[in-house]
Amino acid sequence: MDDDGTRGVRGSSADRVPGPVLPPPPTTPPRVPAPAAGPRPAATPVEQRPTRPGSASPAEQPVPGAPVDAWLRTPRPPQEPGVWRYGYTPPPPEEPEGVSNRSLLVGALISLLSALLLWSLWRNGYLPYRLVPLKLFTPGEWWNPGTSGGPRTIEGSDALTVYEAILFGLLAYGCGRIGNFSELFRRHVADRGQPFLALAAAAAAGLTQLLVWKEALPVVRPVLVLVASVAGGEIYQSQTVVNVIYAVIAAAVLYPYARLGRWRELIVARRGTAAPAGDGTAATPAAATSADQWPELRTAGWTDAADTLTAEVRTGRMNDVDVARLRHAWALATRRPDRLAPLAEAVLRTGGAAALHPSGHRDLPRRGARHDVLTGQVRIGRCADDPHNPYVRRGTGLALEPALLGTSLLAVGPPGAGKTARLIRPVVEALALRALAGQAAVLAVGGAGAPLGPDDAFDVVVRLGHPGSAHDIDLYGGTTDPDEAAAVLAEGLVGDVGSLDSRRAATVLAQLLGPYRAAHGHFPSVPELRELLDGTPAALAGLRASLEAAGHHAMLRELDARSRQAGGPGDPAPALADRVALLDRPAFTGFFATGPDARPFSLRALGQHPLRVRVDLPERGHAEASRLLTRLLLAQFTAITAARTDTTLFACLVLDDATHAVTAETVRGIRRLRSVNAGAVLALRTVDDVPEPLHTPLLGAVGCTAAFSGITTWDGKRFAEAWGKEWVETREVAQHTVFADQPFTRALHALRKLVTGKAVTTDAVTVRQVERERWSASELAYAVPAGHAVIRLATVEGEHAPPLLVHLDG
């Protein structure tokens, strides 16, 4: 720097007292004293966050066979509908659209070169009036005359030293802000994580220390001047004080780099990982109330039972299903205090095997999906990093649970899209695990050979049309009321026939089922029902004789009414007889029995016991009969679950193929399921498999919908209408040709057009808010990649999630 030849020169005035001589700066940077040894702070857990929204957090990927106690302690924070909560870590804040790396580097380099040029001009005295601001606030006798006159006293020289340090700091700050060095550091250093961050900060700290002690950076001398002006020059007579000042300067220069490099966090993390695993003295008090210690039992005073279960968890004799089952059993027992003592005694006696499922199973034979039995979630995929998805949902796991399935789910996709393997099977598996925990009942219906799970994963397996089936199905749903049985059976038989009124069909069936049950004590079998609907004289005469012998005059009137209406215009009996004939085939001989020796499975048991039921339909040889039975099971399920009084169990019906199974009455029944803790999962190849008048009611009745890749634009249009629209911001850019008036400007424009081949234009940007469909029909048909689906979720409480593009890995 140019001091006009006056730096270090004494003042010429005779009455000036010479100032103190500043100590010379050391040749090497002084060492900063290490902190005193003391107890090492307890290592705090480092929150694992994904480096980008699409990457997975380690806690979000549970390792199969992980210890149950660690699984219990894993946090499950409440989140939006469908978020996989196990070990969820929120993504980092959304970053605004920034400049490219190239522009960022060029801007930083230009800013740095500009700052160096400006500082060089300052030091060499090429900037006029550079000392005027300083002279305005200092005495005039410190300076030589003139605007460019330098200091003539030691005070002026010291003031100039501090002044230059302040200006250097402002210049460095402005260079950093203009060059956006913070963003450059974050992108290329901080985002790489440790230990690169710490090493880069250490290298920068060493370079800065070298520049400081070589006086390339004005730091040491201004500090010494300020200390001397405050404490007096005599303070430098003590070498110890001088060393302390140097150490403070070195520490002050080092501190910002320690903060940037996060050295303390790195040291704590390294010490935490190096600590012995058996040293758990500090963590013991915090773990006393953790989930694996069964705090709900300890709060209620059952300490012995809690200790028993804690030991079972710690020794690995319990799995996740046992934990969920016992927690649910304890929650039920608290409502009935008389059950607390027996449950506690069972825990003390059998440990984790207490309150077993009636089947005696404690887990499924194998799992194909990722489950969190504690929350009832099953992970079916991951939200794609797509502009259609909100930023906070990109890269997060998508999961289904009873709170979502309670609104029912409709999945539409062509064959091969993955509906069964990636959605239906994981849902059935999750509900089966829920049933083993005593919290749900599931009925899975699919074609013979459908991959819904192995036989030993179910309590009841019904193979209709298979001679080796150990179970049968009850056509009448286990009811003893002829009117109720007739209404459900009519929906199953002719609910898909638009020209027939299901209420008239139910009346016809009630006119026959009531008299037959009164005469024989049970409902008719399939061959007998077919004969009655056909109006066979022998069958009707035999039924009439039985009623007369038993004195059932009211039922005789029902039978007479049927005889009068038979053969009239619009009589639904022939259509009913034709549909019943589909079940009166040799393949179904022995099925649908109703006699006193028959023991068919009734869907009414689903509302009373945590059962796992699978029904295999003979779709290949009897496609129409399979559709009839599917429609009947759906009608029975909606009627039975809506009528039950105990809604503790979550009941769910899963139809792997709901083609021609949905009727107007079942749509109304599906809408009522969410209020009785039940739900239905329906899979369709296309929405056209449902009668056209029911397209809108069905999409409005279900809360969750899934559109798989490969659907048609006609199906996409229905989903787009059902999902509604949203407000988006659009930018329209219009280019206008610039016409110059001045000759020189026109010449420049002509030269630019000659070089680039394009006319000189200016951009007019228009930003506005418009309402657009969340997903258009064309996007659903052509923009959904293979293995993906667009899923919209809703809970029974009314929470909604927007349609999300999900990569299915279930």
Side-chain angles (χ1 to χ4, degrees):
M1 148 181 20
D2 185 12
D3 297 326
D4 293 343
T6 59
R7 172 171 285 279
V9 180
R10 304 289 184 192
S12 58
S13 174
D15 58 351
R16 306 294 297 178
V17 179
V21 179
L22 300 180
T27 57
T28 58
R31 294 184 178 181
V32 181
R40 179 176 57 87
T44 57
V46 179
E47 183 181 7
Q48 301 290 340
R49 296 177 181 270
T51 57
R52 56 183 299 273
S55 61
S57 169
E60 195 179 338
Q61 309 291 337
V63 181
V68 180
D69 54 349
W71 171 79
L72 266 174
R73 291 194 299 267
T74 302
R76 298 165 174 85
Q79 294 297 324
E80 297 179 1
V83 175
W84 175 248
R85 294 166 51 193
Y86 180 84
Y88 173 79
T89 302
E94 184 176 7
E95 301 174 359
E97 295 184 2
V99 296
S100 62
N101 290 331
R102 179 178 179 180
S103 301
L104 192 64
L105 290 172
V106 171
L109 181 60
I110 293 176
S111 175
L112 180 61
L113 293 178
S114 301
L116 291 176
L117 176 62
L118 187 62
W119 183 245
S120 176
L121 294 175
W122 170 273
R123 288 179 61 91
N124 292 283
Y126 289 107
L127 296 180
Y129 310 108
R130 59 192 183 94
L131 299 180
V132 172
L134 179 62
K135 292 180 178 181
L136 292 177
F137 296 96
T138 53
E141 60 268 15
W142 289 4
W143 310 97
N144 291 320
T147 57
S148 60
R152 68 177 185 178
T153 64
I154 188 62
E155 288 83 357
S157 179
D158 293 343
L160 181 60
T161 299
V162 177
Y163 177 61
E164 289 180 345
I166 295 174
L167 290 180
F168 180 83
L170 294 176
L171 182 63
Y173 177 77
C175 174
R177 290 298 301 271
I178 296 175
N180 206 358
F181 278 85
S182 60
E183 179 67 14
L184 188 66
F185 175 80
R186 186 194 63 80
R187 287 191 189 182
H188 299 283
V189 180
D191 284 352
R192 296 192 178 186
Q194 300 287 11
F196 181 81
L197 175 61
L199 293 176
L207 178 61
T208 305
Q209 291 277 10
L210 180 63
L211 295 177
V212 166
W213 297 109
K214 291 295 183 181
E215 292 196 10
L217 300 180
V219 176
V220 177
R221 183 170 292 274
V223 172
L224 297 177
V225 168
L226 291 175
V227 172
S229 63
V230 174
E234 296 80 5
I235 193 174
Y236 295 125
Q237 296 178 2
S238 173
Q239 186 62 35
T240 302
V241 174
V242 172
N243 293 336
V244 170
I245 294 175
Y246 287 156
V248 171
I249 295 175
V253 173
L254 196 64
Y255 178 74
Y257 295 98
R259 290 290 303 272
L260 289 176
R262 302 175 185 173
W263 295 349
R264 182 177 180 275
E265 297 178 9
L266 181 62
I267 295 173
V268 169
R270 291 297 175 89
R271 288 182 177 179
T273 55
D279 186 12
T281 56
T284 301
T289 57
S290 61
D292 62 329
Q293 297 283 335
W294 301 86
E296 60 272 15
L297 273 70
R298 299 183 186 276
T299 304
W302 300 94
T303 308
D304 295 341
D307 292 339
T308 301
L309 293 179
T310 301
E312 293 274 303
V313 169
R314 296 289 175 84
T315 55
R317 292 194 295 267
M318 288 180 64
N319 59 15
D320 53 353
V321 179
D322 295 331
V323 173
R325 186 186 67 252
L326 289 174
R327 281 195 168 191
H328 179 68
W330 179 261
L332 293 179
T334 53
R335 304 175 189 174
R336 299 278 300 275
D338 56 316
R339 296 183 181 180
L340 290 176
L343 178 60
E345 293 175 1
V347 168
L348 293 175
R349 185 173 61 256
T350 60
L356 271 181
H357 186 264
S359 65
H361 297 163
R362 299 173 65 176
D363 200 354
L364 296 179
R366 55 184 173 273
R367 302 185 187 183
R370 204 173 297 164
H371 300 271
D372 184 20
V373 188
L374 202 62
T375 58
Q377 287 190 320
V378 53
R379 188 180 181 277
I380 64 172
R382 177 177 295 278
C383 296
D385 188 4
D386 187 85
H388 285 92
N389 294 342
Y391 174 79
V392 295
R393 299 300 297 268
R394 298 175 192 173
T396 61
L398 189 83
L400 296 176
E401 57 184 309
L404 299 171
L405 298 178
T407 63
S408 298
L409 185 148
L410 175 66
V412 178
K419 298 189 301 298
T420 300
R422 300 184 179 184
L423 180 64
I424 300 298
R425 168 107 185 230
V427 168
V428 172
E429 200 173 84
L431 293 172
L433 290 172
R434 199 81 170 166
L436 290 178
Q439 304 175 45
V442 56
L443 171 61
V445 181
L452 299 180
D455 294 350
D456 48 359
F458 296 91
D459 303 315
V460 177
V461 177
V462 181
R463 295 186 176 90
L464 293 174
H466 194 285
S469 178
H471 299 277
D472 195 0
I473 201 75
D474 189 356
L475 287 180
Y476 305 100
T479 182
T480 58
D481 184 1
D483 293 330
E484 181 181 350
V488 175
L489 187 59
E491 279 297 319
L493 293 177
V494 295
D496 61 329
V497 181
S499 59
L500 287 179
D501 187 0
S502 59
R503 290 174 295 182
R504 290 192 61 188
T507 301
V508 171
L509 289 172
Q511 291 171 345
L512 296 175
L513 297 181
Y516 191 94
R517 177 171 180 79
H520 300 88
H522 58 83
F523 291 119
S525 62
V526 169
E528 293 169 336
L529 179 60
R530 180 183 180 185
E531 291 180 352
L532 293 174
L533 289 172
D534 282 334
T536 305
L540 293 176
L543 179 57
R544 183 181 298 277
S546 300
L547 292 174
E548 291 175 349
H552 295 290
H553 301 290
M555 293 303 169
L556 281 172
R557 289 195 298 270
E558 289 286 308
L559 193 59
D560 292 338
R562 170 87 289 267
S563 300
R564 290 192 303 269
Q565 297 171 3
D571 183 18
L576 290 171
D578 292 341
R579 290 300 179 90
V580 173
L582 296 174
L583 305 179
D584 190 17
R585 306 296 301 165
F588 299 115
T589 301
F591 285 88
F592 316 119
T594 58
D597 298 332
R599 293 293 184 268
F601 171 75
S602 172
L603 265 66
R604 200 167 296 272
L606 288 174
Q608 304 170 0
H609 308 286
L611 292 176
R612 302 167 294 165
V613 184
R614 194 189 76 203
V615 178
D616 294 343
L617 301 175
E619 288 185 344
R620 294 183 179 178
H622 303 274
E624 193 63 30
S626 298
R627 295 173 181 176
L628 186 153
L629 292 171
T630 303
R631 190 164 52 250
L632 178 62
L633 292 174
L634 178 58
Q636 287 185 359
F637 179 82
T638 55
I640 290 172
T641 53
R644 63 176 181 161
T645 56
D646 185 7
T647 59
T648 304
L649 286 176
F650 175 73
C652 189
L653 169 66
V654 182
L655 297 182
D656 184 47
D657 185 6
T659 302
H660 300 294
V662 179
T663 65
E665 185 60 33
T666 53
V667 168
R668 287 189 287 269
I670 290 173
R671 190 178 290 111
R672 293 191 297 264
L673 290 179
R674 66 177 66 191
S675 62
V676 292
N677 195 23
V681 179
L682 312 177
L684 294 171
R685 295 182 177 89
T686 174
V687 181
D688 290 332
D689 289 338
V690 176
E692 186 174 357
L694 298 180
H695 290 174
T696 301
L698 177 61
L699 290 173
V702 297
C704 303
T705 49
F708 284 71
S709 60
I711 65 172
T712 63
T713 52
W714 291 273
D715 288 342
K717 179 181 179 181
R718 297 182 181 96
F719 280 108
E721 293 175 352
W723 291 340
K725 301 179 180 181
E726 63 178 346
W727 288 97
V728 297
E729 183 180 279
T730 61
R731 295 172 59 90
E732 297 179 357
V733 180
Q735 292 185 342
H736 302 284
T737 304
V738 178
F739 298 97
D741 297 330
Q742 301 298 326
F744 181 73
T745 308
R746 285 200 300 268
L748 290 178
H749 287 186
L751 178 62
R752 179 176 175 181
K753 184 176 181 180
L754 181 64
V755 173
T756 63
K758 298 180 181 180
V760 179
T761 59
T762 182
D763 294 340
V765 181
T766 303
V767 180
R768 60 179 179 175
Q769 295 283 337
V770 297
E771 192 176 21
R772 288 183 178 176
E773 293 176 333
R774 300 177 184 272
W775 281 84
S776 67
S778 298
E779 288 175 331
L780 289 173
Y782 302 109
V784 179
H788 290 66
V790 181
I791 301 177
R792 182 254 190 187
L793 301 174
T795 66
V796 291
E797 289 83 9
E799 295 184 63
H800 294 270
L804 303 171
L805 179 62
V806 181
H807 175 251
L808 300 170
D809 54 8

